[in-house]
Amino acid sequence: MAPWSTEATPGSLLRVEHSSGVVLTQAARKALPLGVLWGCIFGVFISSSAISYVSIYKTLAERTHLVTAFGSDNATSALFGPGSLLGTVGGFTVFKSFMALIILGAIWGLLTATRLLRGEEDAGRWELMLTGQTTSRGATAQALGGLACGVGVLWAVTAALTVATGRYPEVNIAPVPACYFALAAVASAAMFVAVGALTSQLAATRRQAAAYAGWFLGVCYALRMIADAGVGLHWLVWVPPLGWIEELRPLTNPQPLTLLPIIGFIAVLIVSALHLAGRRDLGAATLSDRDQRPSALRLLFGQVGLSIRLLGPTFIGWVCALAITGTALGLIAKSAGASISGSSARTVFSRLGATGIHARAFLGVSFLIVAVLVAFAAAGLIGAARSEEAEGRLDHLLVRPIARLSWLAGRVVIAVAVLVSAAVMAGAATWFGTASQGAAVSFATLIEAGVNVVPPALCLFGVGVLAIGIWPKAASWVVYAVLGWSLLIEIAGAATNTSHWLADTSLSHQLAAAPAVNPNWTAGAAMIGIGFVCTAIGAATFRMRDIRGA
């Protein structure tokens, strides 16, 4: 009998009595390969940044030009973090890779934590374990132990590759600073593992837990961006946890004492998560779930209405998140855009497709952030559709006179509505922010910029539907892998010359940087067409295959 089996057999309960460490073992088995994989991604990204610097910026004049372009530019600081000591290999490596690794680490942490905590609990894999000596609090502690192993391996692999790169003669980064840089790079992963652990106790489902953690990440990034935008609010960098990581300043001006609030934050969240885990019933939620409220039959007129009800909180959450992000971008657009006109930073903005100066150029690059958020919404909708099948809820619909294609078509229509509405809201909120600061960008232009970010998200959603049809168990990982790759390639190409063949593999690279330039509706139509074809193939294969659980 497998350790996770929920089927009781003679002697199985006896084995459970002596398997108090099985949750730790299983969590570690799932977290360790992910730690190795993402450690390799982190290490390669850091190595490529360092090596590209010594390969491209060979002369003192070229390095001086780099410092002039980015050293004190508010626009690039808001997007990529402050550029310190850009005349050195370490300073450039941090500037190019650090913020991207912080965000990716946070996403990895919250998704992995909610999967191995709330996800395993929702799937019923803890029920048999808790009939033995293991308590709910003990199981949570063991799962956190397995997650800690994953974070540890993530750091070890990242550090090993960074140290190896530092031994390259022209890079010349000592082992201790290299290990400190790796620690700073994975600190967000550790922090958001703790955030995911807490939201797993608060939420009723894994999807809700991930959404709560994602909300927190979005607010943290927005506050950090405002703090670095040169609008006189740099003290805000000490408010969000992402700002604390930035203040570690690896390879430039190390501040290891900043690890103390990070460690304290993680400790408080873990203690809180363990406390809540011991107080609630298995499968229950600390925050009120809709199942505990009075019955409401609105929209329950069919499977489409049911889908709208189920995805309603997700829709509201993404619309609000994008409204907050758009408002934050609009508030700093005028100030940050002013720095572009007087610096050589136009180079990096032009490489991202945002030609010109002032607020339009800044917003052209900033809407890449909006595009990433809308793409994350698309990935979340794929995860929600897959979870309906994996957790057995789809079975209850399909035993009724509801065709598979009808259910999937309803999900596709709802997803398109969610993505378009959220993107339009982002454009409207950005206009509100720019109008309050007197930036001359019209409402119609920013609504158009919002619609412009929808095609990559629809393409990604189509890839997810294709994965649901062909490889359902990996559907979520496929869409997040495509999204992560697109983000890495786009950020990597911002400060260096990237092969156009490699750049073309990024969905973000196909996106015109509106409102700095006019939207490329031809490229947008092509991405929508690819998404449509993938959706059609995924629907055909979904119709023919068996329904598969987790």
Side-chain angles (χ1 to χ4, degrees):
M1 178 179 174
W4 280 128
S5 175
T6 57
E7 180 183 353
T9 61
S12 63
L13 296 183
L14 180 61
R15 288 197 295 273
V16 170
E17 291 290 334
H18 300 285
S19 62
S20 58
V22 71
V23 178
L24 171 63
T25 302
Q26 294 298 326
R29 285 180 179 175
K30 294 183 178 182
L32 287 175
L34 293 174
V36 172
L37 172 63
W38 285 95
C40 290
I41 293 174
F42 278 32
V44 169
F45 195 26
I46 293 171
S47 300
S48 65
S49 299
I51 293 174
S52 66
Y53 177 80
V54 300
S55 301
I56 296 173
Y57 303 99
K58 298 180 180 180
T59 67
L60 179 61
E62 290 173 332
R63 296 182 179 188
T64 301
H65 178 75
L66 179 67
V67 173
T68 303
F70 305 120
S72 58
D73 186 77
N74 293 331
T76 54
S77 294
L79 294 173
F80 308 119
S84 303
L85 299 180
L86 288 176
T88 65
V89 177
F92 176 82
T93 302
V94 171
F95 175 71
K96 182 181 174 184
S97 63
F98 194 35
M99 189 54 61
L101 295 179
I102 289 174
I103 300 301
L104 289 176
I107 293 170
W108 178 89
L110 70 89
L111 290 177
T112 305
T114 53
R115 176 195 175 198
L116 297 185
L117 286 164
R118 191 74 219 192
E120 296 297 312
E121 184 177 341
D122 287 348
R125 299 191 180 104
W126 281 15
E127 293 180 1
L128 185 58
M129 299 301 107
L130 299 190
T131 61
Q133 297 176 350
T134 304
T135 63
S136 182
R137 182 175 295 164
T140 301
Q142 289 183 46
L144 286 170
L147 287 164
C149 293
V151 174
V153 169
L154 173 64
W155 171 81
V157 175
T158 303
L161 292 175
T162 306
V163 169
T165 303
R167 294 177 64 86
Y168 186 67
E170 295 186 14
V171 175
N172 193 27
I173 297 175
V176 172
C179 290
Y180 178 73
F181 182 32
L183 179 64
V186 304
S188 64
M191 294 175 74
F192 276 84
V193 162
V195 171
L198 180 60
T199 59
S200 293
Q201 310 309 316
L202 298 175
T205 64
R206 177 196 172 190
R207 186 171 71 251
Q208 289 178 353
Y212 293 160
W215 259 82
F216 182 68
L217 173 59
V219 171
C220 288
Y221 184 80
L223 290 175
R224 196 258 352 138
M225 186 169 60
I226 293 172
D228 288 333
V231 293
L233 296 174
H234 186 70
W235 58 268
L236 275 177
V237 77
W238 290 103
V239 175
L242 294 186
W244 308 343
I245 299 174
E246 182 181 292
E247 289 299 309
L248 290 172
R249 303 179 188 178
L251 302 183
T252 55
N253 182 26
Q255 301 294 325
L257 287 179
T258 310
L259 287 170
L260 295 178
I262 294 174
I263 294 171
F265 178 77
I266 293 172
V268 168
L269 291 187
I270 289 177
V271 170
S272 300
L274 292 175
H275 174 72
L276 294 176
R279 290 175 58 89
R280 66 178 179 84
D281 293 332
L282 184 68
T286 301
L287 298 181
S288 178
D289 183 26
R290 64 171 61 90
D291 293 337
Q292 299 169 343
R293 299 171 187 170
S295 298
L297 303 181
R298 296 186 304 275
L299 298 176
L300 296 184
F301 51 78
Q303 58 91 13
V304 174
L306 175 62
S307 295
I308 294 174
R309 278 282 299 274
L310 292 173
L311 296 176
T314 301
F315 168 72
I316 294 172
W318 278 111
V319 167
C320 292
L322 284 160
I324 293 171
T325 301
T327 303
L329 292 173
L331 290 173
I332 65 176
K334 184 177 181 180
S335 174
S339 67
I340 302 173
S341 60
S343 76
S344 301
R346 297 184 208 175
T347 303
V348 71
F349 282 79
S350 63
R351 285 177 179 167
L352 288 170
T355 57
I357 58 176
H358 301 306
R360 281 178 177 262
F362 175 77
L363 289 173
V365 175
S366 298
F367 263 81
L368 293 175
I369 299 173
V370 175
V372 171
L373 291 177
V374 175
F376 268 111
L381 291 168
I382 289 295
R386 169 56 192 160
S387 67
E388 291 293 304
E389 178 184 5
E391 296 171 12
R393 295 192 293 273
L394 182 58
D395 298 13
H396 299 294
L397 289 176
L398 297 184
V399 296
R400 301 177 65 82
I402 296 176
R404 292 191 188 190
L405 290 184
S406 175
W407 173 82
L408 187 59
R411 286 286 177 147
V412 171
V413 170
I414 293 170
V416 172
V418 169
L419 297 176
V420 173
S421 300
V424 169
M425 177 57 71
T430 304
W431 173 82
F432 174 79
T434 56
S436 68
Q437 300 300 310
V441 186
S442 70
F443 178 80
T445 297
L446 289 172
I447 292 296
E448 186 180 58
V451 175
N452 180 58
V453 307
V454 175
L458 293 179
C459 183
L460 183 68
F461 184 82
V463 171
V465 174
L466 177 62
I468 286 178
I470 297 175
W471 193 11
K473 291 187 177 181
S476 292
W477 291 107
V478 168
V479 290
Y480 283 114
V482 172
L483 180 54
W485 174 260
S486 298
L487 180 60
L488 279 173
I489 292 300
E490 193 65 14
I491 293 175
T496 58
N497 294 316
T498 301
S499 166
H500 75 90
W501 296 105
L502 188 63
D504 285 342
T505 63
S506 167
L507 289 176
S508 300
H509 188 70
Q510 314 305 322
L511 183 68
V517 297
N518 292 326
N520 186 343
W521 297 121
T522 302
M527 284 188 281
I528 293 174
I530 293 172
F532 177 80
V533 171
C534 290
T535 300
I537 297 173
T541 53
F542 174 72
R543 181 184 181 186
M544 293 184 293
R545 69 168 175 82
D546 293 333
I547 298 298
R548 301 177 189 174

